[in-house]
Amino acid sequence: ARVAGGLEAEPIRIEGGTFTIEGNGAWLVHPNDDALRQSRLALNLSGKNIAAVLSALGYEPVIEGESLTVGGELTWLGGPDEGFLERADGNITMRMDEGSLLAVEPGSGRLLGVLSLAALPRRLSFDFSDVFDDGLGFDTIQGDFTIDDGNAYTCNLGMEGSVADMGVVGRTGLGARDYDQLAVVRPHVSNLLAVGGVVVGGPAAGAAMLLFSQIFRKPLSTLGESYYRIKGSWDDPSVEQIQGNDLDAAPLRNCEAFLADAITESLKP
């Protein structure tokens, strides 16, 4: 529809069999500069059968699971073109329940680069590949992302699983297609010891308990964590284990302030 200053689409609704997308969008004259055009987009996706949803959206089905929800509100200069994420600002939230990260090569199904969790299982300090041939199981994957000038920052991307919990903080470059993140992995030692027996894993840790509160707000270096720095391109990320005494814990304990400074620094010429 034509509106003051441009065009608006509301409602937007997409039915995909296993998923539904609802939202709205607009392409308008910038409110502060008549010479500029600005687009905005707000969408919410909910779906069942995560692998089927990813396939329908054109991604490799590198994650299997019961349900997926994603919501986002973005704005950017210019029209609704293919490369809008490289200059967008806004936020994205996501949650996946009851599934597994499949054993895939780096670069497969990049999911906009936000799921660097998929790069970790092959490099963990404990090895359960013989038991979990179908991938690393999870109860919940959840995270919030602040999008700023084509970069996605998170302070709470986390995975809860019966064998291990993981948490990630840092930056993903949506334009540069790179990572600069810190990850913490905490194995459930009692569950790992049960791998050779009848039971693998115990009761779920509780999907409502975010990994951010499980790991980042407890004392570090006391509960068997491993620490990793994730850097480099989406296609070939470098995942380097860091010793506890070499870890700068400030980004973990005060992530919001740390990333606010990082965003400010990124805007400088």
Side-chain angles (χ1 to χ4, degrees):
R2 180 179 295 177
V3 296
L7 302 172
E8 185 176 76
E10 186 174 6
I12 296 172
R13 182 174 175 86
I14 301 171
E15 295 280 358
T18 59
F19 70 93
T20 300
I21 298 175
E22 296 181 297
N24 58 77
W27 185 14
L28 306 168
V29 173
H30 193 284
N32 300 323
D33 190 339
D34 291 343
L36 297 177
R37 302 294 180 265
Q38 184 181 53
S39 299
R40 63 170 173 81
L41 184 64
L43 294 177
N44 290 285
L45 177 151
S46 60
K48 303 293 184 181
N49 188 340
I50 296 173
V53 173
L54 294 179
S55 295
L57 294 176
Y59 294 101
E60 290 293 323
V62 298
I63 300 175
E64 295 180 341
E66 289 188 2
S67 63
L68 165 68
T69 58
V70 181
E73 296 185 3
L74 300 172
T75 61
W76 65 93
L77 290 178
D81 56 70
E82 184 178 18
F84 74 94
L85 276 175
E86 299 178 13
R87 58 185 190 277
D89 299 310
N91 61 80
I92 295 174
T93 64
M94 60 168 290
R95 180 182 177 116
M96 302 181 186
D97 289 308
E98 301 298 335
S100 60
L101 296 169
L102 304 184
V104 296
E105 295 298 326
S108 300
R110 289 181 292 268
L111 296 180
L112 306 181
V114 296
L115 278 182
S116 53
L117 289 170
L120 286 172
R122 290 176 176 270
R123 299 166 173 85
L124 296 181
S125 56
F126 52 94
D127 183 6
F128 40 67
S129 58
D130 292 339
V131 178
F132 297 96
D133 292 334
D134 293 332
L136 176 60
F138 63 84
D139 301 315
T140 302
I141 293 176
Q142 186 165 337
D144 303 306
F145 300 86
T146 297
I147 312 300
D148 182 84
D149 196 26
N151 289 293
Y153 298 88
T154 183
C155 284
N156 64 353
L157 173 58
M159 187 199 85
E160 291 182 6
S162 59
V163 170
D165 296 333
M166 302 186 195
V168 173
V169 302
R171 180 192 65 84
T172 298
L174 303 179
R177 294 176 176 258
D178 64 349
Y179 293 118
D180 186 4
Q181 297 176 329
L182 286 173
V184 179
V185 179
R186 175 174 292 164
H188 298 181
V189 176
S190 60
N191 293 343
L192 287 173
L193 294 176
V195 164
V198 177
V199 178
V200 177
M209 179 72 74
L210 288 182
L211 186 66
F212 185 73
S213 61
Q214 287 186 323
I215 289 183
F216 297 155
R217 292 178 183 174
K218 291 183 179 180
L220 297 173
S221 304
T222 61
L223 295 173
E225 303 97 351
S226 297
Y227 310 105
Y228 298 85
R229 180 171 293 281
I230 307 169
K231 296 181 72 71
S233 71
W234 296 358
D235 291 325
D236 188 21
S238 168
V239 182
E240 177 187 4
Q241 186 170 2
I242 303 171
Q243 299 303 313
N245 54 7
D246 295 328
L247 175 70
D248 178 7
L252 304 181
R253 294 200 175 99
N254 196 20
C255 184
E256 287 84 356
F258 178 83
L259 291 187
D261 291 342
I263 291 173
T264 302
E265 188 68 23
S266 73
L267 297 178
K268 294 180 179 179

